[in-house]
Amino acid sequence: MPIVVDTHTHVYPPSYITRKSPLSPSAITNTSLVLKSRDTIPKIRTFPGDSTPRLIILPNEDSPSNPSTSHGRPIGPSYSSISHKIAFMNTHHITASVLSLANPWLDFLSPSESPSAAHLINDDISSMCTAYPGRLFFFATLPLSAGAGACVAEVRRLKESGNKWVRGVVLGTGGMGAGLDDEKMDGVWKVLEELGWTVFLHPHYGLPSGVYGPRAGEYGHVLSLSMGFPMETTIAVARMFLSGVFDRYTKLQFLLAHSGGTLPFLAGRLESCIVHDAYLKNLGKLEERRDIWDVLKTNILLDAVVYSGVGLRAAAEASGWDRVLFGTDHPFFPPLDKEGEEEKQWLSVITNYKAISDAFDGDKEKSVAILGGNAVRLLKLEVKA
């Protein structure tokens, strides 16, 4: 059995959901972080006639005008219990996982709250990794609302403490509020490039609800997750590319969720629109520039959470099969039948395994690399097989 590394797997540590961390009881002094104590999104609540806790995290998800999503999704122990994570890994033959706090991260906290919250969350997840050495690693959470200085300080704290498990950071597309092409992000890019840490970029905000039309409320979460999330990622990376982030930080590495959204498919159109844009030409921005294909093959890693061989082949063609990394998106997309969910094979995971088989049928080298070899090499993982 080859080494399998899950690079797209989330956790909400208990301190994020219900209580302060026993590791750092003084790290946070208010209840803004604890989802069960909040009245606004993100929050966890129950509804009349149903005692099951429901997680509500997406923008406008609780709107009465959208009854198919207004109750969010049921949240069970798989969202926060590391023993459930390990059970899931064992069931699906996953050797190691690189954990990340799930969206919306700390985006909803004030600048005064987010630095201590990032400290708390990162130490909590690190302790999970310590309990399972060689099986768990993590992408750290940053206090983006507090600005670049606070983010750099948290990165430096983790590095200087000698943390053995951290391999980069997880970010949403909003950055500090103005997106990832915001020049205020440059201090963050600089330190991450310096340390060789990977940025796991994950969507959360989607597209404006109006694009889904007046019948969107009949379609559950399907349009926002299948279309909104991938387009959000695509647009965020296109903005970074257009603003010159990858020209200024040529060694910066991004791992894009969901195989980069639609970027592998639309990269050629993006490039063509750039070289035919008179405004950019008049500004001199078409001279001595890197093209999108160079960036894709140099700065961009893509996860394999795309659920089809067709999509996976596009990802491998865009960035190279040696830069595509397996993922599951656990604990999201569980079996709709919740009974024994950790013991049974998840359709979402089976589908991603099948996508690799379909895309590279008979090519063992590429399949083994995408399943785990690429992650071990690129993220410098010392896994416990």
Side-chain angles (χ1 to χ4, degrees):
M1 184 70 185
I3 290 174
V4 179
V5 178
D6 187 355
T7 60
H8 185 157
T9 181
H10 303 296
V11 65
Y12 291 120
S15 54
Y16 194 85
I17 294 177
T18 58
R19 59 175 174 79
K20 297 178 184 178
S21 167
L23 302 173
S24 310
S26 62
I28 196 164
T29 58
N30 58 68
T31 59
S32 298
L33 179 62
V34 181
L35 298 193
K36 284 191 174 180
S37 70
R38 293 176 54 83
D39 296 322
T40 57
I41 296 176
K43 61 185 177 180
I44 293 174
R45 61 162 296 186
T46 58
F47 291 86
D50 183 1
S51 62
T52 304
R54 311 285 296 192
L55 175 66
I56 302 173
I57 56 173
L58 300 178
N60 301 313
E61 189 174 21
D62 61 349
S63 171
S65 64
N66 195 353
S68 65
T69 67
S70 61
H71 285 193
R73 60 198 53 73
I75 180 170
S78 62
Y79 283 76
S80 59
S81 166
I82 204 60
S83 63
H84 279 72
K85 179 75 72 178
I86 294 295
F88 169 86
M89 291 168 60
N90 292 341
T91 297
H92 295 89
H93 310 292
I94 295 169
T95 312
S97 292
V98 186
L99 306 175
S100 57
L101 180 65
N103 48 306
W105 313 285
L106 305 178
D107 289 7
F108 56 95
L109 294 182
S110 70
S112 64
E113 296 170 320
S114 60
S116 60
H119 186 146
L120 173 67
I121 293 295
N122 290 331
D123 284 358
D124 273 4
I125 297 179
S126 182
S127 72
M128 295 175 177
C129 299
T130 299
Y132 294 93
R135 295 209 69 188
L136 298 179
F137 303 85
F138 77 106
F139 294 119
T141 304
L142 296 183
L144 288 163
S145 66
C151 294
V152 171
E154 180 61 11
V155 169
R156 293 289 187 197
R157 182 187 74 85
L158 289 166
K159 177 64 176 179
E160 292 168 7
S161 70
N163 192 292
K164 297 190 297 183
W165 317 121
V166 64
R167 289 300 184 271
V169 301
V170 60
L171 291 182
T173 64
M176 298 173 190
L180 301 181
D181 54 350
D182 181 2
E183 291 183 353
K184 293 179 182 178
M185 292 292 299
D186 279 7
V188 179
W189 305 145
K190 181 178 180 181
V191 71
L192 294 174
E193 181 185 56
E194 173 192 327
L195 297 180
W197 283 17
T198 298
V199 180
F200 177 36
L201 180 60
H202 194 286
H204 173 70
Y205 298 98
L207 299 175
S209 58
V211 304
Y212 303 125
R215 297 186 63 182
E218 302 174 33
Y219 307 139
H221 289 97
V222 172
L223 290 176
S224 59
L225 297 183
S226 67
M227 303 294 165
F229 270 25
M231 286 307 304
E232 177 189 348
T233 301
T234 303
I235 293 168
V237 177
R239 287 171 57 182
M240 294 177 66
F241 176 63
L242 287 166
S243 70
V245 169
F246 298 109
D247 295 314
R248 297 193 298 277
Y249 304 100
T250 57
K251 296 181 180 179
L252 193 61
Q253 296 294 303
F254 275 77
L255 170 60
L256 305 187
H258 316 124
S259 293
T262 62
L263 189 60
F265 183 77
L266 293 179
R269 183 173 178 84
L270 172 63
E271 183 67 23
S272 180
C273 287
I274 291 171
V275 300
H276 289 93
D277 193 283
Y279 178 76
L280 295 181
K281 183 178 186 300
N282 291 336
L283 291 178
K285 291 190 174 183
L286 302 187
E287 301 173 5
E288 299 182 1
R289 56 178 289 275
R290 299 176 66 192
D291 65 28
I292 188 63
W293 302 111
D294 180 32
V295 170
L296 276 166
K297 293 185 181 298
T298 305
N299 302 94
I300 301 298
L301 310 174
L302 300 174
D303 77 16
V305 184
V306 71
Y307 307 106
S308 79
V310 173
L312 191 57
R313 280 191 292 272
E317 182 72 18
S319 287
W321 60 265
D322 57 338
R323 297 178 66 79
V324 178
L325 286 63
F326 178 75
T328 66
D329 213 349
H330 183 263
F332 297 96
F333 301 98
L336 293 178
D337 175 10
K338 303 295 286 184
E339 184 177 355
E341 67 175 40
E342 297 303 337
E343 288 71 37
K344 67 166 62 174
Q345 293 275 336
W346 287 29
L347 176 61
S348 57
V349 181
I350 293 171
T351 305
N352 276 326
Y353 273 133
K354 185 177 183 299
I356 295 173
S357 177
D358 290 346
F360 305 107
D361 184 30
D363 194 328
K364 184 177 180 181
E365 180 186 8
K366 292 179 181 178
S367 297
V368 168
I370 290 171
L371 285 170
N374 290 340
V376 169
R377 172 175 52 87
L378 293 165
L379 299 179
K380 299 179 175 63
L381 305 179
E382 296 180 4
V383 304
K384 183 177 180 179

